């Protein structure tokens, strides 16, 4: 029903906006809750056991994270008398809130729900989950100062490594995208304490790249690596560009995805954190392997000669192809 859909999407926007605009922890928490409650019907709209299971898992983790956040902010108010987001000073609530937000966006070691949930969803809802749902918790993470840097660095490094290792063994595209999301978020968290503007840049480029990756897979109607092998017959022009999108996600130099990684490594080196920068760069190699594997399946192998699906790409809908064109161009050439 379009009216219900409009209401839910409005709720999605409203929740994020409330969190963005709030300086009081209760309001921020409320925004996060509205956000979660608005996306749950969207996730369960295909009444498929897999989708319902994913929705339940998502609901439980998000509710846990929100409860942790509420508990931490109440504890902070109890200890210091402050409800203001910027005025957090006590280490205990600070740590707890950082962990709650990490659970909300799916940073390792609290990441295990993300691949499972994403695997059960439609690609469009998965895109919303991978991009829009990260905004509100990130706004809060950016606002809380004087967090212990060790926590953030540990979370960030663990995420880049888990995001690399986890994706190696996957054949399902949505799980690969979930691990890719974990790895990218790890890079953002690594640099959060030292240069928040770089975190925002990384978030923005990640959004653009993920957007084009999801739309490519949606246009191909493919959810596993095997299904990509026949995408050449479905959409030839797009298929020749897709490896560039994937390598951009992996962060190879002439493409957009290289920019945030380059700047983050430079900033880490400036902060005398060379070993950390080295580890992060090495973990990016792991991610690169599975992006290469997908590109290989898609374009570097001969596609089976079945001419069943030659025509559809000429008649694909403009509401899918226009954003895809914009996102793909941005993913490849923003550097």
């Amino acid at each position: 029903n379009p009216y219900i859909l409009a209401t839910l999407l409005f709720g999605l926007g409203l929740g994020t906006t409330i969190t963005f605009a709030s300086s009081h922890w209760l309001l921020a928490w409320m925004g996060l809750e509205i956000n979660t409650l608005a996306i749950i019907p969207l996730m369960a709209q295909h009444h498929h056991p897999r989708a319902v299971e994913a929705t339940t898992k998502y609901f439980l983790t998000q509710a846990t994270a929100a409860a942790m956040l509420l508990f931490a902010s109440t504890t902070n108010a109890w200890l210091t008398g402050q409800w203001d987001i910027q005025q957090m000073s006590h280490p205990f609530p600070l740590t707890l809130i950082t962990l709650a937000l990490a659970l909300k966006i799916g940073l390792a070691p609290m990441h295990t729900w993300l691949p499972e949930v994403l695997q059960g969803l439609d690609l469009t809802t998965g895109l919303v989950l991978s991009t829009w749902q990260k905004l509100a918790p990130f706004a809060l993470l950016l606002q809380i100062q004087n967090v212990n840097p060790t926590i953030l660095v540990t979370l960030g490094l663990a995420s880049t490594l888990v995001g690399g290792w986890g994706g190696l063994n996957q054949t399902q595209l949505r799980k690969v995208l979930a691990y890719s999301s974990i790895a990218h978020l790890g890079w953002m968290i690594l640099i959060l304490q030292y240069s928040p503007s770089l975190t925002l840049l990384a978030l923005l480029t990640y959004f653009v790249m993920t957007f084009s990756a999801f739309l490519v897979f949606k246009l191909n109607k493919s959810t596993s690596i095997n299904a990509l092998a026949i995408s050449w017959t479905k959409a030839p022009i797009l298929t020749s560009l897709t490896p560039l999108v994937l390598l951009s996600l992996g962060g190879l130099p002439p493409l957009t995805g290289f920019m945030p990684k380059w700047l983050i490594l430079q900033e880490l080196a400036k902060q005398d954190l060379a070993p950390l920068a080295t580890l992060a760069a090495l973990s990016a190699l792991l991610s690169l392997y599975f992006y290469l594997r997908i590109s290989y399946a898609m374009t570097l192998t001969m596609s089976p000669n079945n001419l069943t699906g030659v025509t559809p790409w000429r008649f694909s809908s403009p509401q899918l192809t226009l954003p895809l064109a914009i996102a793909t161009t941005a993913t490849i050439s923003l550097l």
Side-chain angles (χ1 to χ4, degrees), residues 126-193:
L127 176 61
V128 173
L129 190 70
S130 304
T131 54
W132 186 259
Q133 292 297 89
K134 311 275 188 227
L135 283 172
F138 249 98
L140 294 175
L141 272 172
L142 280 165
Q143 282 182 73
I144 51 177
Q145 269 99 26
N146 51 34
V147 164
N148 184 355
T150 325
I151 297 172
L152 286 179
V153 164
T154 312
L155 284 171
L157 199 57
S159 299
T160 53
L161 288 164
V162 163
W165 278 123
L168 292 181
N169 207 15
Q170 301 298 335
T171 54
Q172 296 292 328
L173 291 174
R174 285 167 294 186
K175 280 196 175 176
V176 167
L177 284 168
Y179 281 111
S180 138
S181 164
I182 295 166
H184 279 273
L185 290 170
W187 280 85
M188 293 168 215
I189 296 294
L190 268 182
I191 201 66
L192 186 70
Q193 202 72 16

Side-chain angles (χ1 to χ4, degrees), residues 69-97:
L69 189 90
L70 192 59
F71 172 66
S73 47
T74 322
T75 310
N76 184 59
W78 179 46
L79 290 169
T80 61
Q82 281 287 356
W83 275 105
D84 202 291
I85 295 178
Q86 309 252 346
Q87 304 293 330
M88 297 278 289
S89 53
H90 201 282
F92 174 67
L94 262 174
T95 309
L96 209 53
I97 275 179

Side-chain angles (χ1 to χ4, degrees), residues 98-128:
T98 314
L99 291 175
L101 292 170
L103 176 61
K104 247 194 175 341
I105 54 179
L107 288 171
M110 283 84 79
H111 67 283
T112 37
W113 60 272
L114 185 60
E116 292 295 319
V117 167
L118 213 54
Q119 178 56 32
L121 298 183
D122 177 47
L123 283 167
T124 323
T125 326
L127 176 61
V128 173

